[in-house]
Amino acid sequence: MSKQHPDEEDVREKVLRSLRSSGQTTEKTEQPKERPTGASSSAGSRRQATSQTTGKKATKSTKAKPKPTKSPQKARSKKMPPLSEKKQEEYRRKSSREQESRVVSKIVTIVVVALLIMGTILAFSIYRYVSSGLKPLDANNSEKVAVEIPQGSSNKAIGEILEKDNVIKSGMIFNYYTKFNNLTGFQAGKYNLSPDMTLDEISEALVNGTGGAADVKLTIPEGYDVDQIGDAIEKNLKIKKKNFLALMENDEFFEELHKKYPQLLDSAAEAEGVRYRLEGYLFPATYDYYQGTDLETFVTSMVDKTNSVMSPYYQTITDKGLTVQHVLTLASLVEKEGNNESDRRKIAQVFFNRLAVDMPIQSDISILYALGEHKELVTYKDLEVDSPYNLYTNRGYGPGPFDNPSEQSIKAVLNPQSNDYYYFVADVSTGQVYYAQTLEEHNALVEEHVNNND
């Protein structure tokens, strides 16, 4: 049964009360028509009949009650039937999702804006930090600070030392600055640096070894071999030559260096029959020595210098189909066969010409190294020395370098002057070099410029 509307109930009650009132009024109106005393039986019957009649009228009146007026809400409910529970649930879920989406959007917007603000602040802070690190620590303070850079120190370690000694603002900035500017080959030593120096000025001082006095400055001349370097070390550093030569023959020490400088020493590690694996890899330069520095550290600084010099040429060496061992071997010969850039470039091409046709290089420098002697003239008997370093009897490059060449000789090998000569001879008294294409021409030049000088 459908529930009745509250308005309908009110109307019904009003109708009932109206009918009740009408019944009571009828009874009151008919009462005077009753007979006087004595006709009670009839009167009773009449009242009963009247009561029955009144009851019928009441019944008819009840049946004929007016229909309640339909309310506007009920009319509207028929036009728009109520939603089912499933539809209502879907509507609630949809509304909930829309509300959640609005909340999430607001949160994302807030987070993005916050991140942008934080990123801007961070970027600005980094910019200020880097900019500050590139400037002198104190542009108004020129007071010198004693700084000691140990042998074998990396750029990072040097930066940390400079920051600790209050010479620069940031060791990290110094490390990246030197890397970005390809600054290497910093020399160990004691330096007097000041807070008003720029990173450029500090780097220049470290590269050139200036700014402080070492206990000993040892100069290794261009073209010195391991044996001669050993003499110089013993004389100037008071380190016994035999200890230096023992280190040159120490395979474990070489392997440590090989791991540190693989591009430089890969081909040297593969060479066979060498006397000293580090021959050719101890770059001729002036080195600062400080009391208490161990021999391994000092030699490492020499190898590090060679790596710094060779680094720009590694790709060129590969492109030419050569190895570092090949380049340093020919450069060590060119170093002593010529005394200027022009002759060294020509002599380098003569060696390449000979190698191209499988001719022995036949350099007297190789004979002297095989003999372990240092003299001006080579005899015919010397040419018969039994050694893999004898390039009169052995073809190719030989085991390895014969001395430690200069950068000019290295560049001459990598950029020789094109020619078609196969022979050359030098006038020892003048240093002039004469070139020839054939053996006959060469012999004539030897007779004229060498034998006639005796």
Side-chain angles (χ1 to χ4, degrees):
M1 177 182 289
S2 61
K3 296 180 180 179
Q4 290 181 341
H5 195 278
D7 292 344
E8 294 176 357
E9 293 181 358
D10 291 341
V11 172
R12 182 178 180 182
E13 289 296 327
K14 290 178 179 180
V15 171
L16 291 175
R17 283 198 298 270
S18 176
L19 292 175
R20 290 194 191 100
S21 299
S22 177
Q24 291 176 359
T25 302
T26 305
E27 289 178 355
K28 289 181 180 181
T29 304
E30 292 179 352
Q31 279 179 3
K33 293 180 180 181
E34 292 181 0
R35 295 177 177 270
T37 305
S40 59
S41 180
S42 299
S45 298
R46 185 177 182 87
R47 283 197 299 267
Q48 186 175 2
T50 303
S51 178
Q52 289 176 355
T53 304
T54 305
K56 289 180 181 180
K57 288 181 179 180
T59 302
K60 288 179 181 179
S61 176
T62 302
K63 289 182 180 180
K65 66 181 178 180
K67 294 182 180 180
T69 305
K70 294 181 179 178
S71 68
Q73 291 183 352
K74 188 172 182 181
R76 282 198 297 268
S77 65
K78 285 187 176 182
K79 293 180 180 180
M80 296 180 63
L83 296 175
S84 64
E85 293 184 0
K86 183 177 180 181
K87 290 286 186 180
Q88 291 177 359
E89 182 64 25
E90 288 179 357
Y91 179 76
R92 285 195 294 272
R93 288 180 180 178
K94 183 178 179 181
S95 300
S96 177
R97 285 196 297 270
E98 289 176 353
Q99 185 176 1
E100 290 177 359
S101 297
R102 287 193 293 270
V103 173
V104 170
S105 297
K106 289 180 180 179
I107 294 174
V108 170
T109 301
I110 293 171
V111 171
V112 170
V113 171
L115 289 176
L116 288 174
I117 294 173
M118 292 174 62
T120 302
I121 295 173
L122 179 61
F124 181 70
S125 300
I126 293 174
Y127 171 77
R128 289 191 61 185
Y129 176 75
V130 173
S131 298
S132 176
L134 292 173
K135 297 177 181 178
L137 178 63
D138 186 352
N140 299 318
N141 186 359
S142 59
E143 184 178 352
K144 296 296 182 182
V145 178
V147 178
E148 183 173 357
I149 305 299
Q151 293 280 358
S153 296
S154 64
N155 290 12
K156 180 180 179 181
I158 292 174
E160 292 173 350
I161 292 171
L162 294 174
E163 181 180 357
K164 181 181 178 182
D165 291 342
N166 295 318
V167 176
I168 62 175
K169 291 183 179 179
S170 171
M172 182 180 68
I173 296 298
F174 176 85
N175 180 37
Y176 285 112
Y177 174 83
T178 55
K179 286 184 178 181
F180 290 151
N181 290 280
N182 196 29
L183 296 174
T184 57
F186 294 145
Q187 297 188 36
K190 295 178 180 178
Y191 296 86
N192 291 318
L193 307 173
S194 59
D196 65 346
M197 297 177 69
T198 64
L199 295 187
D200 276 337
E201 293 170 338
I202 294 173
S203 299
E204 183 179 359
L206 295 174
V207 170
N208 296 328
T210 59
D215 294 318
V216 178
K217 282 188 175 292
L218 177 61
T219 298
I220 305 300
E222 297 169 344
Y224 258 34
D225 60 22
V226 164
D227 186 70
Q228 292 171 306
I229 293 175
D231 290 333
I233 286 178
E234 184 173 68
K235 179 181 178 180
N236 296 281
L237 307 185
K238 309 307 179 183
I239 297 175
K240 292 183 178 180
K241 178 180 178 179
K242 67 177 183 180
N243 293 340
F244 172 74
L245 295 180
L247 185 62
M248 293 297 99
E249 296 175 339
N250 188 321
D251 290 336
E252 291 183 3
F253 177 62
F254 176 82
E255 285 304 320
E256 290 177 4
L257 293 173
H258 183 201
K259 290 178 182 178
K260 190 173 183 180
Y261 308 104
Q263 280 187 292
L264 178 68
L265 296 173
D266 274 348
S267 53
E270 297 173 357
E272 298 179 357
V274 295
R275 184 180 298 171
Y276 303 115
R277 289 200 180 276
L278 290 178
E279 187 75 88
Y281 296 87
L282 307 176
F283 195 79
T286 298
Y287 296 92
D288 290 336
Y289 177 79
Y290 298 89
Q291 199 67 36
T293 302
D294 60 81
L295 185 58
E296 289 83 354
T297 300
F298 184 75
V299 171
T300 299
S301 69
M302 300 177 75
V303 176
D304 182 77
K305 181 65 175 178
T306 304
N307 185 63
S308 298
V309 172
M310 294 298 295
S311 292
Y313 307 120
Y314 287 142
Q315 188 59 52
T316 301
I317 292 171
T318 300
D319 293 343
K320 287 180 173 290
L322 301 171
T323 66
V324 174
Q325 188 85 338
H326 290 156
V327 171
L328 292 179
T329 296
L330 292 185
S332 68
L333 297 175
V334 167
E335 180 70 40
K336 292 185 175 180
E337 293 283 14
N339 58 14
N340 59 68
E341 182 181 3
S342 177
D343 280 331
R344 284 170 174 167
R345 292 183 63 205
K346 291 177 183 178
I347 292 171
Q349 185 60 57
V350 171
F351 290 151
F352 280 122
N353 292 342
R354 282 176 164 262
L355 290 169
V357 296
D358 201 27
M359 286 178 65
I361 287 179
Q362 295 182 330
S363 170
D364 290 352
I365 306 304
S366 70
I367 299 300
L368 294 175
Y369 190 83
L371 292 171
E373 300 178 12
H374 300 92
K375 58 183 182 179
E376 289 187 2
L377 297 177
V378 174
T379 67
Y380 285 107
K381 184 179 181 180
D382 293 336
L383 300 180
E384 299 174 358
V385 62
D386 183 16
S387 168
Y389 285 96
N390 184 342
L391 297 187
Y392 271 85
T393 58
N394 296 291
R395 301 176 188 277
Y397 293 89
F402 302 89
D403 57 62
N404 295 274
S406 65
E407 185 173 7
Q408 185 185 86
S409 295
I410 293 169
K411 291 168 69 176
V413 172
L414 294 175
N415 185 31
Q417 183 174 325
S418 180
N419 61 63
D420 55 0
Y421 300 128
Y422 291 90
Y423 303 89
F424 66 89
V425 61
D427 186 334
V428 179
S429 61
T430 64
Q432 182 69 38
V433 180
Y434 301 93
Y435 302 88
Q437 293 180 331
T438 66
L439 181 59
E440 291 76 11
E441 293 173 351
H442 174 67
N443 288 336
L445 292 172
V446 171
E447 185 67 26
E448 179 181 356
H449 299 286
V450 177
N451 295 341
N452 286 341
N453 291 336
D454 294 342

